[in-house]
Amino acid sequence: MTDAASPTTARTTETGPSGPSVAAVLAVLLTGTFIAQFDFFVVNVAAPTLEADLGAGATALELVVGGYAFALASGMITGGRLGDLYGHRRLFTLGMAGFGLASLLCGIATSPGQLIAARLFQGLTAAVLAPQVLATITATFAPAQRARAFAAYGVTAGIGSIAGQLLGGLLLDADVAGLGWRVVFLVNVPLCAVVALLAPRVLPKAQPGGRTGIDPVGAAGISGALALLLVPLALGHSSGWPLWTWLSLAGGLVLGALTLWWERALGARGGSPVLDLTLFHGSSFRAGLIASAAFYIYFGSFIFTLTLLLQGGLALSPVRAGLAFTPMGVAYMVTSMAGKRLTARYGMNALIAGAAVTAVGLLALLLEVRSAGADTEVAMICGCLCLVGLGNGVVLPSLIGAALLRVPPRQAGMASGALTTAQQFASSAGIAAVGAVFFAVAGDRPPGAGYPDAMVAASAVCLVMVLVVMGMMVVFRRIAAQEAGSS
């Protein structure tokens, strides 16, 4: 029996979660969102300490940072499909427990190889955990609750990203119990244990879908294609783009095309593909996917390159660099809490305006760094980041909800996996590609000397991505107008 036909699922979808309060359900779910985003970004701050303590070279550091992203992005769609088949609550609990174990292994690693392996495991457990958050909201929350929950998800994702920079710097500076960099991983362990124990008691129980199989060919094909694309993007610059990187990129594209052909053929003959391509028949889902990918290319690469500028170009300590992100975080929280009301009143015009504010903030930063170079005042950067945060807070929460709004509950896990895969892949690819632009512009000048010019180039790419988001919002507005006219 599928989710759509299940009495339990139907009842929870109409009335929202029964038993524990919606607030309790969201608190458990969003802890998973926060922790997955936090660990994506926190290693950026810890990288210099890892290099000194473990003797990790540039390639090892890139694998520590990127390995988590590879595993997370490549496993997300399969994790979402497993949730559809075996129950979102069960997969969330297993993912959270596994994430705690992986964090412990990261924290006790004694060599770069051990840490890389543990980070890969951590990314895989996050890929099991993360899709269940949006899937549970989509499949079991009542429509009136869903918009508020999506907004809370967007707030949490943004705060987790910024907290990785800020709290990571504070934890390193505090040097808790002399643990150094290890504390940024070990802090997850008790939190994961508590949430894993609470999840079976708090999260709503919906019937899993029929045991129609997991489509191992599709799962392996999607994971392999993403890995073949991400690895050369992450390592190409530092290794000088040797032949294997280009062969890997070409292989990823070919394998991706073959996997999509398989998924289409499997669905046509009544099978259960890990990625049902009928999802993309919905124009709102397609537009949401493109907009989310563009947003995360900009957001992930912007945080990464700005961290390089602050620490390498302006010689700020990890704590001061982390604190520089605080205005953006505060501004994000303010507008994200008001974003639902703004969207309800002004529709897609609110999101278009929010993206425009973000674009103005990026443009102001670009012009300031271009003008002042290494003498750029941190206060001026913080002012620009306020604008960026104000715009992001309006866009991101509503963007996620708009993409999933018309997804059937039986496809909630798959759609959530596809959306979060697009986000994580875009963030990873953005960091790699825009990072390559950054280092190419910085050139062979002394460390940090070329970073202001490099930040100007990176900000220009980010600005283009935000303009793509604005364009997709215009498409969303047209879709909404057409649907309103036909109803």
Side-chain angles (χ1 to χ4, degrees):
M1 182 165 57
T2 65
D3 279 356
S6 163
T8 304
T9 301
R11 185 163 55 250
T12 51
T13 301
E14 291 171 4
T15 62
S18 57
S21 69
V22 171
V25 172
L26 271 180
V28 169
L29 289 173
L30 296 183
T31 301
T33 299
F34 177 87
I35 213 166
Q37 286 294 105
F38 177 84
D39 274 71
F40 187 94
F41 287 98
V42 72
V43 184
N44 290 331
V45 179
T49 315
L50 286 170
E51 185 175 14
D53 189 32
L54 283 186
T59 301
L61 286 175
E62 288 183 350
L63 288 173
V64 168
V65 176
Y68 176 85
F70 303 157
L72 177 58
S74 62
M76 196 81 74
I77 291 177
T78 302
R81 184 62 179 144
L82 286 170
D84 287 338
L85 292 173
Y86 299 105
H88 304 306
R89 184 175 72 176
R90 180 182 300 172
L91 267 293
F92 180 91
T93 304
L94 288 173
M96 182 62 76
F99 196 92
L101 174 60
S103 298
L104 176 62
L105 294 175
C106 289
I108 63 175
T110 57
S111 70
Q114 290 180 12
L115 183 56
I116 290 167
R119 282 286 281 176
L120 288 169
F121 179 41
Q122 191 182 41
L124 287 174
T125 59
V128 173
L129 157 74
Q132 316 314 325
V133 178
L134 288 174
T136 300
I137 293 171
T138 302
T140 63
F141 277 48
Q145 299 168 338
R146 206 175 297 154
R148 189 177 302 112
F150 282 140
Y153 173 89
V155 172
T156 305
I159 292 173
S161 303
I162 296 167
Q165 304 290 117
L166 176 57
L167 294 183
L170 292 174
L171 286 170
L172 286 171
D173 187 63
D175 194 20
V176 180
L179 292 170
W181 60 266
R182 300 177 188 275
V183 73
V184 303
F185 298 112
L186 295 176
V187 71
N188 297 332
V189 178
L191 182 59
C192 288
V194 170
V195 176
L197 290 172
L198 287 175
R201 297 168 173 79
V202 173
L203 298 186
K205 181 180 181 181
Q207 294 291 336
R211 302 296 193 266
T212 54
I214 189 56
D215 177 22
V217 174
I222 290 171
S223 299
L226 290 172
L228 286 170
L229 292 170
L230 280 171
V231 170
L233 284 175
L235 301 181
H237 171 75
S238 62
S239 57
W241 294 103
L243 179 61
W244 73 263
T245 59
W246 298 106
L247 292 176
S248 181
L249 287 170
L253 293 174
V254 172
L255 182 57
L258 290 173
T259 303
L260 291 178
W261 171 83
W262 168 264
E263 298 296 272
R264 184 184 299 276
L266 182 61
R269 62 176 185 261
S272 180
V274 72
L275 179 61
D276 187 349
L277 298 185
T278 61
L279 269 175
F280 300 94
H281 293 172
S283 53
S284 61
F285 184 75
R286 287 199 309 270
L289 202 67
I290 295 170
S292 293
F295 185 92
Y296 274 84
I297 288 172
Y298 133 67
F299 189 61
S301 61
F302 179 68
I303 289 181
F304 174 68
T305 53
L306 184 59
T307 301
L308 291 174
L309 174 69
L310 292 172
Q311 293 192 42
L314 304 185
L316 299 185
S317 67
V319 175
R320 289 189 65 200
L323 288 172
F325 286 92
T326 303
M328 183 166 72
V330 172
Y332 180 92
M333 284 190 288
V334 169
T335 52
S336 60
M337 288 186 288
K340 180 177 176 290
R341 292 192 297 273
L342 292 171
T343 305
R345 182 171 181 180
Y346 299 108
M348 285 297 142
N349 289 329
L351 275 72
I352 294 170
V357 172
T358 296
V360 170
L362 289 173
L363 181 60
L365 178 65
L366 185 159
L367 295 174
E368 173 62 24
V369 176
R370 183 182 180 186
S371 172
D375 296 324
T376 302
E377 295 288 340
V378 176
M380 292 295 298
I381 293 176
C382 289
C384 297
L385 291 182
C386 275
L387 288 174
V388 171
L390 288 171
N392 288 351
V394 175
V395 174
L396 183 57
S398 298
L399 184 62
I400 293 166
L404 295 174
L405 189 61
R406 293 167 181 82
V407 171
R410 64 183 176 82
Q411 293 182 313
M414 187 189 301
S416 301
L419 182 63
T420 45
T421 295
Q423 293 169 348
Q424 297 302 331
F425 178 83
S427 187
S428 304
I431 289 171
V434 180
V437 171
F438 183 98
F439 288 116
V441 174
D444 297 328
R445 284 173 280 185
Y451 282 12
D453 290 340
M455 190 66 210
V456 170
S459 297
V461 177
C462 291
L463 182 58
V464 171
M465 290 299 102
V466 173
L467 294 177
V468 171
V469 175
M470 289 179 67
M472 289 299 102
M473 293 303 98
V474 174
V475 172
F476 262 121
R477 185 173 61 185
R478 187 179 302 122
I479 293 169
Q482 289 172 349
E483 291 179 350
S486 61
S487 61

